Amino acid sequence: GNSVTQMEGPVTLSEEAFLTINCTYTATGYPSLFWYVQYPGEGLQLLLKATKADDKGSNKGFEATYRKETTSFHLEKGSVQVSDSAVYFCALRGGGATNKLIFGTGTLLAVQP
Amino acid sequence: EAGVTQFPSHSVIEKGQTVTLRCDPISGHDNLYWYRRVMGKEIKFLLHFVKESKQDESGMPNNRFLAERTGGTYSTLKVQPAELEDSGVYFCASSPFMGGDDTQYFGPGTRLTVL
């Protein structure tokens, strides 16, 4: 079945450091891929998405490229800020009638000043 | 425009009791989803409504869980009787009719603790 694997956290970085959070997936067909973010005390927010191979999703300085050959969708940001501290979830949607999302376990990012 | 709202934000109950969670989707969204995150693990799909009909309930863990969406507006998720392993954060999400913007918009979640 479909599944998502993302790197274990927590990830602790200093402000302005480079961020990578790895995400790989297993899926049949051609899933859409997402990164959601949960800031402290808030709900999940869509950060970015990509719907087909080689697409790059981007938002708020974050980027992720849909790599079909490596079945990956790694999240990157060139210079993190304290305000980026949150839990990041990688997810896929396999399509079909339900459109349900399949999530990874989440990665806690803590950015220190 | 108001986002997805969930009530209560926190609930602490004892094993064997009943709890009902409520979700109000974004107005006009036909699709409503329930998910939960248990013990810091992955967020798992529970079920999907299209208007008042259950489109997919394959993620419901057992028959102690009952979801309804009367009138195709808000939804409730009842757990009866609650067990310790039901503790976690329950998220609701909604999205418009499929074919357009199919982004799922999530609520803040209800944190359920079963003692």
Side-chain angles (χ1 to χ4, degrees):
Chain A
N2 295 345
S3 66
V4 173
T5 302
Q6 63 182 103
M7 63 188 290
E8 296 272 340
V11 174
T12 303
L13 296 173
S14 297
E15 207 164 21
E16 300 183 1
F18 183 85
L19 168 71
T20 300
I21 301 178
N22 290 337
C23 172
T24 57
Y25 67 90
T26 301
T28 54
Y30 303 94
S32 294
L33 301 173
F34 304 82
W35 278 99
Y36 278 83
V37 58
Q38 185 179 24
Y39 297 103
E42 299 184 14
L44 290 166
Q45 300 175 25
L46 178 65
L47 181 59
L48 53 85
K49 68 179 182 181
T51 57
K52 61 183 187 296
D54 299 325
D55 268 3
K56 178 187 284 187
S58 61
N59 187 25
K60 299 181 180 180
F62 291 89
E63 293 183 339
T65 300
Y66 188 150
R67 301 285 188 200
K68 190 166 177 62
E69 64 277 12
T70 54
T71 62
S72 65
F73 193 55
H74 304 322
L75 182 68
E76 296 182 336
K77 186 174 185 181
S79 176
V80 292
Q81 304 301 312
V82 172
S83 58
D84 293 326
S85 299
V87 181
Y88 292 81
F89 294 92
C90 185
L92 72 80
R93 188 182 65 223
T98 185
N99 253 17
K100 66 184 179 186
L101 293 170
I102 296 170
F103 287 89
T105 53
T107 302
L108 173 63
L109 170 66
V111 180
Q112 298 176 338
Chain B
E1 180 180 312
V4 177
T5 57
Q6 293 187 243
F7 182 83
S9 56
H10 293 85
S11 180
V12 180
I13 62 173
E14 298 202 346
K15 175 182 172 181
Q17 290 186 321
T18 297
V19 63
T20 300
L21 314 181
R22 174 172 169 142
C23 169
D24 286 78
I26 293 172
S27 178
H29 281 193
D30 287 342
N31 296 285
L32 188 149
Y33 303 81
W34 284 98
Y35 295 85
R36 76 172 177 177
R37 188 182 190 207
V38 174
M39 287 293 291
K41 296 186 177 179
E42 69 269 28
I43 299 169
K44 285 194 172 181
F45 167 81
L46 296 178
L47 87 160
H48 170 208
F49 283 99
V50 177
K51 297 186 179 179
E52 67 274 10
S53 299
K54 292 177 184 175
Q55 179 74 18
D56 181 353
E57 51 185 328
S58 61
M60 296 287 265
N62 51 62
N63 59 10
R64 296 185 293 102
F65 289 76
L66 175 64
E68 295 181 323
R69 192 183 182 194
T70 307
T73 55
Y74 71 90
S75 174
T76 58
L77 179 65
K78 180 190 288 189
V79 185
Q80 178 182 30
E83 298 289 344
L84 300 179
E85 63 264 26
D86 301 332
S87 296
V89 181
Y90 289 75
F91 293 102
C92 175
S94 71
S95 68
F97 181 73
M98 290 186 200
D101 172 17
D102 56 3
T103 299
Q104 293 184 27
Y105 298 88
F106 281 76
T110 293
R111 181 174 295 278
L112 174 64
T113 302
V114 183
L115 302 176

